[in-house]
Amino acid sequence: MSYNIAIDGPAGAGKSTIAKRVSAELSFIYVDTGAMYRAIALYLLKNAIQPEDLDSVKYALGEIEIAIRYVGGEQHVLLNGEDVSGQIRTEEVGNMASKSSALPCVREKLLELQQKLARENDVVMDGRDIGTNILPDAQLKIYLTASVDTRANRRYKELLEKGTDCDLEEIKKDIEQRDYQDMHREVAPLRQAADAVYLDSSDLTIDQVVEKIKSLAK
Ligand code: C5P
């Protein structure tokens, strides 16, 4: 049987950094489910489809094929065969993903792919509803969070390092809005699973969080 670690939490809590490290150190694969929602969002943006236009979204989903490939241990997302891993990392795509991921038809589209990856591999899977919905039987569940200020500061620094022009207050507003949307949607809202371990990373280093999760897994 495969060993599954589910990591859920709000935007900018450090889930992907932590999940990547933990999976590498345990020789598990890392599954970034946010990237799959972002790939669908990218398709909607490119085709000027509004998430409110449900008929068009449903039609689009029939035209979309999402696949995952690992290159040198890194997850790449393919949208109809095209590697869109770079294109999905913008705030615009993140905000669209937050809106479109609230639609049941969008979540339905990705459920099977995510569950199959976890059935066939030892995984560290991160997202919003992994412990609550996708992998309710995961052997270890983590709810990873940090204060809004900490998360906004981290994202601000990340964007500056990439050379992207950005505004701290705007990032904070975006994060608050995304938290609200993710926590208050009707289907699979972001919340801590009853059996998840709560970890606030505001005052912890990456190493400390990684060690904590590894020791819980053991
Ligand atoms: O984690 P990331 O910022 O890449 O996710 C983008 C958006 O995709 C989130 O704001 C959330 O709305 C959605 N998402 C989700 N369920 C997941 C992963 C991501 O609804 N399992």
Side-chain angles (χ1 to χ4, degrees), residues 10-41:
K15 295 187 300 296
S16 64
T17 308
I18 301 295
K20 266 185 211 163
R21 279 272 305 272
V22 172
S23 58
E25 292 184 26
L26 296 177
S27 301
F28 285 16
I29 64 166
Y30 166 49
V31 183
D32 169 6
T33 61
M36 302 174 187
Y37 286 98
R38 284 171 180 264
I40 291 180

Side-chain angles (χ1 to χ4, degrees), residues 34-52:
M36 302 174 187
Y37 286 98
R38 284 171 180 264
I40 291 180
L42 179 69
Y43 184 96
L44 299 179
L45 282 169
K46 277 190 170 171
N47 291 279
I49 297 168
Q50 304 300 323
E52 294 78 23

Side-chain angles (χ1 to χ4, degrees), residues 8-12 15 32-35 37-38 89 93-95 97-99 101-102 107 114 126-130 134 155 178 181-182 185 188:
D8 291 301
K15 295 187 300 296
D32 169 6
T33 61
Y37 286 98
R38 284 171 180 264
R89 296 289 152 207
V93 173
N95 292 335
S98 182
K99 288 195 191 108
S101 67
R107 308 203 69 82
Q114 293 168 2
D126 79 8
R128 302 294 187 287
D129 65 333
I130 309 306
I134 304 293
R155 192 135 284 187
R178 202 114 79 78
Q181 276 171 190
D182 291 349
R185 66 184 175 213

Side-chain angles (χ1 to χ4, degrees), residues 123-138:
V123 297
V124 179
M125 186 177 288
D126 79 8
R128 302 294 187 287
D129 65 333
I130 309 306
T132 50
N133 248 322
I134 304 293
L135 306 177
D137 298 326

